[in-house]
Amino acid sequence: MRALSRSWSSVLSAAAVAVALAASAVSPASAAEGGPCGQGESGSSGGSSGSSTGSLAGLMPWITGPPDGGVPQLTGRTKAIEMVTGPGSPNNTIARFNVSGTDLGIMWDNGNALGRHDVLMAFGDTVGDCEADGDDWRSNVLFRSSDTVLSDGMRIDSSPLSGPNNSKEIIPGFAIPGEYTTIPTAGIAVNGVQYVRFMSVRSWDTPGNWTTNYSAIAYSTDNGENWTADPATIRTNIEGIDVPGFPAVSPGNSKFQQSAFVDGRDGFVYEYGTESGRQGTALLARVPAGQIRDLNAYTYWNGSTWGTDLAQAAPVIGSPVSELAVQWNGYLGKYVAMYTDATNSLVIRQADRLEGPWSGKQTILSGTLVPALYGGFMHPWATGQYLEFVATTWDRYNVIYMRTDLNGLQMKATDQADRPDPATTGDARLLRVEYPDEQ
């Protein structure tokens, strides 16, 4: 039997957890079963932990197994290099940061903050020791990396800590009633200040669907060590939230609950917005970079021009768009949008302009070869022939470092034809999965 961290020794078999959470919200304390720390196992620690209001065990019971550090060995243009987090990761995140399971890994260049040139990497719901009270659960954590050799993996230098070898929750949100967790969805640096758009999750509904209370921006002036959530940036999504300082729901807020930031290098920060869950379209806003925390300074692409009315924003990428990332790629000479599509595969589209048009889809990592796949986020320093990115799977509930050869993927933005999945043509295959004790 393959070796696992002690943190995962009490996890129940994946066969017990292929279930969906009821659409109505339940309290974290009553939903202490499920998730990678005791999936459905009676007596699991579960419960509330940290400064937010839930445990990963109670939030996502459809996670299909304990993180096991398995690295898929693939043929074709996309290769899995290593685990960034969890069991088997050369970063040793369990011992160094008490991070046994986590997801997403949204990346951005820190803009040389404090004289350091780092990539900052924000993760979602995170657990440490499953035998600890509350599973050492945190809504989010952050890593820093100055590793400039992208081809062989990603070395983590440091993380904001709450104590020895324990990554702290960086953005607790506003702790309003019904706030389960606060998950980063986009990050960007402007003049040495870090900004993260995060979503406040009210309920995990059926798989691929969730409901948010709001999205908002948090900022850090010390390279991600400490963060302040700005109430002026809140986009309230749910009627009836009666919290002092919270704005009322406005038309279009629901379309900007998750984001992707892009530095337009024209004095503007561009922000793609999608709704809660994995079924929506992508809209586009822009704001003068120095006014990123002023919602009144944002304008929205309506299909032909920029306007001030969010309700008039037009989709720039059609549904379904899930966990979107966008950046310029010098090798392709195009902007690249990466997201998970309806087949649970990671796809890219290409465009000459941020407003589009966007090309048809090209599958770079098939969900049939790497099941339970989601959340592809590109390395901000990947601009050449090889595109490095990270991805998560529910069964591992950890982040995998990937690399794709872009040679031959050049595509005109006006070419709207989707390309076939390489897994269906035989151009990509899964050979095996290597586990930590086999490597």
PDB file of all heavy atoms in Angstrom, residues 2-15:
ATOM      1  N   ARG A   2       0.541   2.222  -0.814  1.00  0.00           N
ATOM      2  CA  ARG A   2       1.393   3.380  -0.911  1.00  0.00           C
ATOM      3  C   ARG A   2       1.364   4.182   0.381  1.00  0.00           C
ATOM      4  O   ARG A   2       0.373   4.253   1.090  1.00  0.00           O
ATOM      5  CB  ARG A   2       0.961   4.249  -2.081  1.00  0.00           C
ATOM      6  CG  ARG A   2      -0.478   4.749  -2.042  1.00  0.00           C
ATOM      7  CD  ARG A   2      -0.764   5.546  -3.306  1.00  0.00           C
ATOM      8  NE  ARG A   2      -2.129   6.020  -3.341  1.00  0.00           N
ATOM      9  CZ  ARG A   2      -3.106   5.400  -3.968  1.00  0.00           C
ATOM     10  NH1 ARG A   2      -2.876   4.261  -4.583  1.00  0.00           N
ATOM     11  NH2 ARG A   2      -4.323   5.910  -3.983  1.00  0.00           N
ATOM     12  N   ALA A   3       2.494   4.812   0.674  1.00  0.00           N
ATOM     13  CA  ALA A   3       2.635   5.565   1.907  1.00  0.00           C
ATOM     14  C   ALA A   3       1.870   6.877   1.830  1.00  0.00           C
ATOM     15  O   ALA A   3       1.838   7.540   0.812  1.00  0.00           O
ATOM     16  CB  ALA A   3       4.109   5.847   2.173  1.00  0.00           C
ATOM     17  N   LEU A   4       1.251   7.260   2.958  1.00  0.00           N
ATOM     18  CA  LEU A   4       0.557   8.527   3.062  1.00  0.00           C
ATOM     19  C   LEU A   4       1.028   9.242   4.315  1.00  0.00           C
ATOM     20  O   LEU A   4       1.524   8.625   5.258  1.00  0.00           O
ATOM     21  CB  LEU A   4      -0.964   8.330   3.166  1.00  0.00           C
ATOM     22  CG  LEU A   4      -1.666   7.768   1.937  1.00  0.00           C
ATOM     23  CD1 LEU A   4      -3.155   7.675   2.230  1.00  0.00           C
ATOM     24  CD2 LEU A   4      -1.449   8.653   0.730  1.00  0.00           C
ATOM     25  N   SER A   5       0.853  10.546   4.332  1.00  0.00           N
ATOM     26  CA  SER A   5       1.133  11.306   5.534  1.00  0.00           C
ATOM     27  C   SER A   5       0.244  10.841   6.675  1.00  0.00           C
ATOM     28  O   SER A   5      -0.901  10.433   6.471  1.00  0.00           O
ATOM     29  CB  SER A   5       0.865  12.796   5.265  1.00  0.00           C
ATOM     30  OG  SER A   5       0.712  13.503   6.463  1.00  0.00           O
ATOM     31  N   ARG A   6       0.747  10.928   7.907  1.00  0.00           N
ATOM     32  CA  ARG A   6      -0.050  10.604   9.082  1.00  0.00           C
ATOM     33  C   ARG A   6      -1.318  11.438   9.114  1.00  0.00           C
ATOM     34  O   ARG A   6      -2.359  11.001   9.639  1.00  0.00           O
ATOM     35  CB  ARG A   6       0.784  10.862  10.346  1.00  0.00           C
ATOM     36  CG  ARG A   6       0.041  10.635  11.654  1.00  0.00           C
ATOM     37  CD  ARG A   6       0.992  10.873  12.833  1.00  0.00           C
ATOM     38  NE  ARG A   6       0.310  10.734  14.098  1.00  0.00           N
ATOM     39  CZ  ARG A   6      -0.343  11.713  14.711  1.00  0.00           C
ATOM     40  NH1 ARG A   6      -0.418  12.887  14.121  1.00  0.00           N
ATOM     41  NH2 ARG A   6      -0.920  11.533  15.883  1.00  0.00           N
ATOM     42  N   SER A   7      -1.246  12.633   8.522  1.00  0.00           N
ATOM     43  CA  SER A   7      -2.403  13.522   8.533  1.00  0.00           C
ATOM     44  C   SER A   7      -3.615  12.904   7.862  1.00  0.00           C
ATOM     45  O   SER A   7      -4.741  13.291   8.121  1.00  0.00           O
ATOM     46  CB  SER A   7      -2.061  14.831   7.821  1.00  0.00           C
ATOM     47  OG  SER A   7      -1.037  15.509   8.484  1.00  0.00           O
ATOM     48  N   TRP A   8      -3.395  11.949   6.968  1.00  0.00           N
ATOM     49  CA  TRP A   8      -4.504  11.381   6.203  1.00  0.00           C
ATOM     50  C   TRP A   8      -4.842   9.961   6.654  1.00  0.00           C
ATOM     51  O   TRP A   8      -5.601   9.270   6.010  1.00  0.00           O
ATOM     52  CB  TRP A   8      -4.155  11.372   4.707  1.00  0.00           C
ATOM     53  CG  TRP A   8      -3.824  12.730   4.233  1.00  0.00           C
ATOM     54  CD1 TRP A   8      -2.596  13.210   3.888  1.00  0.00           C
ATOM     55  CD2 TRP A   8      -4.723  13.823   4.098  1.00  0.00           C
ATOM     56  NE1 TRP A   8      -2.671  14.515   3.540  1.00  0.00           N
ATOM     57  CE2 TRP A   8      -3.959  14.922   3.656  1.00  0.00           C
ATOM     58  CE3 TRP A   8      -6.086  13.991   4.294  1.00  0.00           C
ATOM     59  CZ2 TRP A   8      -4.518  16.161   3.415  1.00  0.00           C
ATOM     60  CZ3 TRP A   8      -6.634  15.234   4.053  1.00  0.00           C
ATOM     61  CH2 TRP A   8      -5.855  16.291   3.614  1.00  0.00           C
ATOM     62  N   SER A   9      -4.324   9.527   7.797  1.00  0.00           N
ATOM     63  CA  SER A   9      -4.463   8.121   8.172  1.00  0.00           C
ATOM     64  C   SER A   9      -5.885   7.725   8.501  1.00  0.00           C
ATOM     65  O   SER A   9      -6.231   6.546   8.444  1.00  0.00           O
ATOM     66  CB  SER A   9      -3.563   7.817   9.376  1.00  0.00           C
ATOM     67  OG  SER A   9      -3.924   8.640  10.473  1.00  0.00           O
ATOM     68  N   SER A  10      -6.732   8.694   8.878  1.00  0.00           N
ATOM     69  CA  SER A  10      -8.094   8.345   9.266  1.00  0.00           C
ATOM     70  C   SER A  10      -9.116   8.588   8.173  1.00  0.00           C
ATOM     71  O   SER A  10     -10.306   8.555   8.427  1.00  0.00           O
ATOM     72  CB  SER A  10      -8.485   9.158  10.511  1.00  0.00           C
ATOM     73  OG  SER A  10      -8.516  10.526  10.194  1.00  0.00           O
ATOM     74  N   VAL A  11      -8.665   8.816   6.943  1.00  0.00           N
ATOM     75  CA  VAL A  11      -9.598   9.151   5.867  1.00  0.00           C
ATOM     76  C   VAL A  11     -10.325   7.906   5.367  1.00  0.00           C
ATOM     77  O   VAL A  11      -9.717   6.859   5.176  1.00  0.00           O
ATOM     78  CB  VAL A  11      -8.854   9.822   4.703  1.00  0.00           C
ATOM     79  CG1 VAL A  11      -9.805  10.151   3.591  1.00  0.00           C
ATOM     80  CG2 VAL A  11      -8.204  11.097   5.206  1.00  0.00           C
ATOM     81  N   LEU A  12     -11.622   8.042   5.161  1.00  0.00           N
ATOM     82  CA  LEU A  12     -12.424   6.939   4.674  1.00  0.00           C
ATOM     83  C   LEU A  12     -12.274   6.790   3.175  1.00  0.00           C
ATOM     84  O   LEU A  12     -11.872   7.705   2.484  1.00  0.00           O
ATOM     85  CB  LEU A  12     -13.901   7.195   5.019  1.00  0.00           C
ATOM     86  CG  LEU A  12     -14.867   6.002   4.958  1.00  0.00           C
ATOM     87  CD1 LEU A  12     -14.464   4.968   6.012  1.00  0.00           C
ATOM     88  CD2 LEU A  12     -16.285   6.474   5.213  1.00  0.00           C
ATOM     89  N   SER A  13     -12.611   5.629   2.642  1.00  0.00           N
ATOM     90  CA  SER A  13     -12.501   5.354   1.216  1.00  0.00           C
ATOM     91  C   SER A  13     -13.303   6.336   0.390  1.00  0.00           C
ATOM     92  O   SER A  13     -14.354   6.818   0.792  1.00  0.00           O
ATOM     93  CB  SER A  13     -13.001   3.936   0.934  1.00  0.00           C
ATOM     94  OG  SER A  13     -13.198   3.747  -0.441  1.00  0.00           O
ATOM     95  N   ALA A  14     -12.787   6.608  -0.821  1.00  0.00           N
ATOM     96  CA  ALA A  14     -13.454   7.544  -1.725  1.00  0.00           C
ATOM     97  C   ALA A  14     -14.831   7.073  -2.129  1.00  0.00           C
ATOM     98  O   ALA A  14     -15.688   7.866  -2.501  1.00  0.00           O
ATOM     99  CB  ALA A  14     -12.603   7.746  -2.976  1.00  0.00           C
ATOM    100  N   ALA A  15     -15.086   5.785  -2.049  1.00  0.00           N
ATOM    101  CA  ALA A  15     -16.383   5.256  -2.488  1.00  0.00           C
ATOM    102  C   ALA A  15     -17.523   5.796  -1.654  1.00  0.00           C
ATOM    103  O   ALA A  15     -18.675   5.773  -2.075  1.00  0.00           O
ATOM    104  CB  ALA A  15     -16.376   3.732  -2.421  1.00  0.00           C
TER     105      ALA A  15
END
